[in-house]
Amino acid sequence: MATRPILHYPDPRLRTKAVPVDVVDDSVRALIDDLFDTMYGAPGIGLAATQVNVHRRVLVVDVSENRDAPHAFVNPVIKDAEGEQERDEGCLSVPGFFETVKRAEQIRVSALDRNGQSFELRAEGLLAVCIQHECDHLDGKLFVDYLSNLKRQRIRNKLRKQAQSGRGTKARA
């Protein structure tokens, strides 16, 4: 298990659409372990493989306070989405910024687990937001895409200035 470097917005690799995993093998399980290590070390509550420049449909989340409820999703598909909620979201690929985003309140997601077994999960609240956020990453979409052009440009400019000055900040999701 190892931590991997996280890509930062506006890196164009974050816009790459991830490809489905054909077989859940040891390399996919190692990727899942690395994603958890990277997410927990950041610290964050969710991480998609796209964010570490691996363009396969794999993501991990753990919204528990004690980091004791890890979920790994291989080839996740959101089947149903109901209701609406607005929450402040942050992103490990957009460090230091939090903005209000509108998402579904409840979702039903199907995926494969780390052993290649199919499962479905109903999620609501923060867990539902986190899964939707990470699924967006697998499709090359970031939470800043839900913001106005002006807000997105301000974030992009601030992150570029921070990168040029060598400063960095950490975010949660």
Side-chain angles (χ1 to χ4, degrees), residues 123-173:
E124 61 183 29
L126 182 58
L127 180 58
V129 166
C130 193
I131 293 168
Q132 291 171 83
H133 177 112
E134 301 309 332
C135 282
D136 275 354
H137 277 297
L138 299 179
D139 291 329
K141 188 171 184 178
L142 287 94
F143 89 99
V144 296
D145 297 337
Y146 292 92
L147 307 177
S148 69
N149 287 335
L150 179 61
K151 281 187 178 181
R152 195 169 36 255
Q153 186 63 38
R154 284 182 180 164
I155 290 170
R156 183 182 301 120
N157 290 341
K158 285 181 182 179
L159 286 173
R160 282 188 178 141
K161 285 180 185 175
Q162 287 175 0
Q164 290 170 352
S165 70
R167 291 180 314 184
T169 56
K170 293 190 178 182
R172 284 210 19 99

Side-chain angles (χ1 to χ4, degrees), residues 7-71:
L7 300 177
H8 291 137
Y9 176 76
D11 191 312
R13 295 172 292 180
L14 289 167
R15 299 300 185 176
T16 304
K17 188 166 180 162
V19 297
V21 171
D22 292 327
V23 176
V24 179
D25 57 14
D26 287 343
S27 70
V28 174
R29 284 186 281 278
L31 173 61
I32 289 168
D33 292 341
D34 288 355
L35 289 172
F36 276 120
D37 281 351
T38 303
M39 178 188 75
Y40 288 137
I45 60 171
L47 190 65
T50 300
Q51 293 176 271
V52 296
N53 201 29
V54 176
H55 303 287
R56 300 175 81 187
R57 297 192 71 80
V58 179
L59 66 87
V60 298
V61 299
D62 186 346
V63 298
S64 67
E65 288 190 29
N66 297 326
R67 297 181 174 194
D68 59 359
H71 298 279

Side-chain angles (χ1 to χ4, degrees), residues 72-93:
F73 300 82
V74 178
N75 298 334
V77 176
I78 296 174
K79 298 289 194 176
D80 297 320
E82 297 177 10
E84 189 176 279
Q85 63 178 315
E86 288 187 356
R87 286 183 181 255
D88 278 353
E89 288 187 29
C91 181
L92 294 173
S93 291

